[in-house]
């Protein structure tokens, strides 16, 4: 298999391009527009939700994979029936498209997760099942970067959602920090994970990643790895799987959500690990032996740049931060949008974080 087709032209598809070039894989991207982040590899522009267009794209590739999780499952099943290899397969992707499907699947696997309930209307029994107000409400489908998540103290706060359809209620987890376990699985079942990272959010959006998560004990690390592998095996995930986790004050970890593609929390592995998540995803979907996930440096820090990430702005501060890597997604600027990131590896968390934050400040200063 040497032609990999990626549905979606966002930054994840973009960052697969250098890995594909190095491996000698042809990468074709089905983008929403020809000025997409991954425009250098876009070979078809159109609507991924239109079966005819998707089928035309699939004809020219050996394996179909994704930059996002929004392709209708029935289209993917139909393509599989016509002989297209789809990785991750639709039965696995189903868990990432609907948070209620994910919660039931994790329950069947006995994976630790927040208490949850699905409601169609203001249901006081359901809220007592998740521990009472305040609790978390989520739109089951279509939310991203915290946009479909609300802390709820009374029913009137989600009236607008309940008018449209079912809502997922979750216990408000009093976590000490958020973590993520990333790994990849190839069709034969080989599983290779990276060490657990810590993700720091601002306003429900990942702002920083610290790799590896500091002070994790071996039993937490082994639980995170084994639950991710278990999910991947059970649902036949192929490619990168990201499992977002909450760590409780007791040290217990519970699963927040899943992604089946390279993930924001794994960007630092491009600089820090023997194998980037983009290369590993391509290896997995082409059924190639997975690369080493050894970390080359003690600490890795990733800082997201929101709004805009302009090379010309970075040029003004690059000289002061020769070890910091600047990544731009070449997206039109829009407030709050993930536009790029900074990455830095180093010997200690304190030193590396402080240099990365200084680079972020310098970038912001040059931008304003
Ligand atoms: P999205 O799919 O939009 O990324 P998430 O389900 O990951 O939404 O939630 C976004 C953020 O909201 C999480 O990173 C976390 O900070 C917070 N959050 C989500 N679920 C819970 C919960 N059950 N308890 C406490 N905080 C939560």
């Amino acid at each position: 298999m040497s032609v990999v087709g990626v549905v979606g032209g966002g930054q994840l598809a973009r960052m697969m391009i250098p890995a594909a070039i190095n491996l000698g894989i042809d990468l074709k991207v089905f983008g929403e527009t020809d000025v997409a982040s991954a425009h250098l590899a876009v070979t078809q522009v159109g609507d991924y939700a239109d079966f005819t267009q998707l089928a035309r794209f699939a004809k020219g590739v050996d394996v179909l994979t994704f930059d996002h999780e929004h392709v209708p499952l029935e289209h993917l099943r139909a393509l599989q029936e016509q002989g297209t290899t789809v990785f991750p397969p639709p039965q696995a992707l189903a868990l990432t498209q609907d948070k209620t499907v994910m919660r039931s699947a994790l329950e069947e696997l006995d994976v630790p997760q927040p208490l949850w309930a699905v409601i169609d209307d203001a249901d006081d029994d359901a809220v007592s099942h998740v521990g009472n107000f305040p609790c978390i409400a989520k739109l089951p489908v279509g939310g991203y970067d915290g946009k479909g998540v609300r802390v709820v103290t009374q029913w009137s706060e989600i009236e607008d959602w309940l008018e449209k359809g079912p809502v997922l209620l979750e216990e408000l987890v009093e976590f000490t920090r958020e973590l993520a376990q990333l790994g990849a699985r190839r069709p034969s079942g080989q599983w290779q994970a990276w060490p657990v990272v810590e993700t720091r959010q601002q306003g429900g959006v990942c702002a920083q990643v610290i790799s590896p998560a500091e002070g994790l004990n071996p039993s937490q690390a082994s639980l995170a790895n084994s639950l991710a592998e278990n999910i991947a095996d059970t649902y036949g995930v192929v490619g990168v799987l990201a499992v977002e986790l909450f760590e409780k004050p007791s040290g217990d970890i519970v699963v927040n959500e899943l992604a089946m593609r390279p993930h924001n929390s794994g960007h630092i592995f491009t600089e820090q690990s023997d194998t980037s998540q983009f290369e590993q995803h391509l290896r997995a979907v082409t059924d190639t032996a997975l690369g080493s996930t050894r970390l080359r440096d003690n600490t890795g820090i990733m800082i997201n740049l929101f709004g805009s990430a302009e090379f010309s702005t970075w040029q003004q501060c690059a000289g002061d931060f020769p070890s910091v890597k600047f990544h731009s997604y070449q997206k039109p600027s829009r407030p709050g949008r993930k536009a790029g990131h900074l990455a830095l590896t180093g010997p200690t968390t304190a030193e590396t974080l402080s240099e990365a934050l200084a680079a972020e400040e310098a970038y912001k200063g040059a931008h304003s």
Side-chain angles (χ1 to χ4, degrees):
M1 276 186 196
S2 58
V3 185
V4 174
V6 185
V7 183
Q11 65 262 29
L12 302 176
R14 175 186 180 85
M15 289 184 273
M16 286 181 206
I17 299 172
I21 290 172
N22 290 338
L23 290 167
I25 288 173
D26 278 345
L27 198 74
K28 294 187 175 179
V29 173
F30 183 9
E32 298 78 4
T33 120
D34 53 11
V35 293
S37 190
H39 63 93
L40 289 172
V42 169
T43 57
Q44 189 179 319
V45 174
D47 178 6
Y48 60 79
D50 177 306
F51 182 72
T52 312
Q53 293 181 43
L54 186 68
R56 183 154 61 84
F57 179 70
K59 268 214 170 84
V61 307
D62 294 315
V63 54
L64 197 68
T65 189
F66 309 95
D67 160 273
H68 59 69
E69 287 131 350
H70 310 310
V71 182
L73 294 180
E74 67 272 18
H75 291 355
L76 297 177
R77 288 192 201 103
L79 285 178
Q80 272 188 322
E81 275 162 27
Q82 293 174 12
T84 304
T85 305
V86 180
F87 286 149
Q91 83 268 7
L93 269 181
L95 274 61
T96 67
Q97 289 196 351
D98 184 328
K99 291 181 195 217
T100 63
V101 172
M102 174 195 72
R103 288 279 170 241
S104 331
L106 295 181
E107 191 161 290
E108 267 180 41
L109 289 181
D110 253 341
V111 167
Q113 59 178 341
L115 297 169
W116 63 283
V118 183
I119 53 165
D120 292 309
D121 45 40
D123 177 344
D124 292 330
D125 282 345
V127 84
S128 65
H129 176 71
V130 304
N132 229 328
F133 292 126
C135 65
I136 295 279
K138 294 184 179 180
L139 286 175
V141 177
Y144 69 99
D145 282 351
K147 289 190 178 32
V149 178
R150 288 182 192 164
V151 179
V152 185
T153 56
Q154 53 185 332
W155 292 120
S156 60
E157 290 161 359
I158 50 167
E159 233 170 89
D160 54 333
W161 284 1
L162 285 168
E163 276 165 14
K164 290 186 209 129
V167 170
L168 172 65
L169 285 191
E170 289 181 7
E171 156 196 11
L172 176 69
V173 178
E174 305 280 356
F175 53 80
T176 43
R177 58 181 175 167
E178 297 190 50
L179 305 169
Q181 171 72 70
L182 275 79
R185 183 179 177 278
R186 69 189 271 220
S188 59
Q190 186 192 3
W191 167 257
Q192 184 78 46
W194 288 272
V196 173
V197 298
E198 177 184 350
T199 62
R200 294 187 179 169
Q201 333 287 317
Q202 278 162 18
V205 188
C206 177
Q208 294 166 6
V209 170
I210 318 276
S211 168
E214 287 187 295
L216 209 67
N217 69 48
S219 65
Q220 289 174 305
S222 115
L223 174 63
N225 185 5
S226 65
L227 68 81
E229 183 175 9
N230 187 14
I231 295 165
D233 268 345
T234 308
Y235 288 90
V237 176
V238 174
V240 169
L241 169 69
V243 183
E244 297 178 14
L245 303 160
F246 297 135
E247 180 185 42
K248 293 181 166 185
S250 59
D252 289 346
I253 53 175
V254 296
V255 172
N256 176 29
E257 72 164 345
L258 310 176
M260 293 177 193
R261 49 167 171 76
H263 189 253
N264 194 175
S265 59
H267 290 349
I268 190 59
F269 301 137
T270 299
E271 282 78 16
Q272 197 185 12
S273 170
D274 282 348
T275 309
S276 78
Q277 58 170 345
F278 304 102
E279 176 176 344
Q280 201 75 306
H281 190 76
L282 293 175
R283 284 177 178 244
V285 302
T286 54
D287 200 10
T288 308
L290 299 176
S292 153
T293 49
R294 186 183 66 95
L295 298 186
R296 293 170 166 174
D297 228 336
N298 286 347
T299 299
I301 304 290
M302 191 284 315
I303 297 186
N304 276 330
L305 298 173
F306 295 98
S308 73
E310 301 289 344
F311 178 62
S312 56
T313 308
W314 175 245
Q315 280 182 303
Q316 298 170 43
C317 33
D320 293 329
F321 301 96
S323 300
V324 173
K325 299 294 177 196
F326 172 79
H327 296 252
S328 169
Y329 308 152
Q330 276 198 313
K331 286 177 162 180
S333 61
R334 196 171 71 203
R337 152 185 260 189
K338 285 176 189 160
H341 67 266
L342 300 175
L344 179 65
T345 64
T348 68
T349 304
E351 268 174 74
T352 315
L353 182 60
S354 115
E355 190 179 343
L357 288 171
E360 181 196 19
E361 274 314 298
Y363 176 83
K364 285 184 180 164
H367 184 68
S368 57

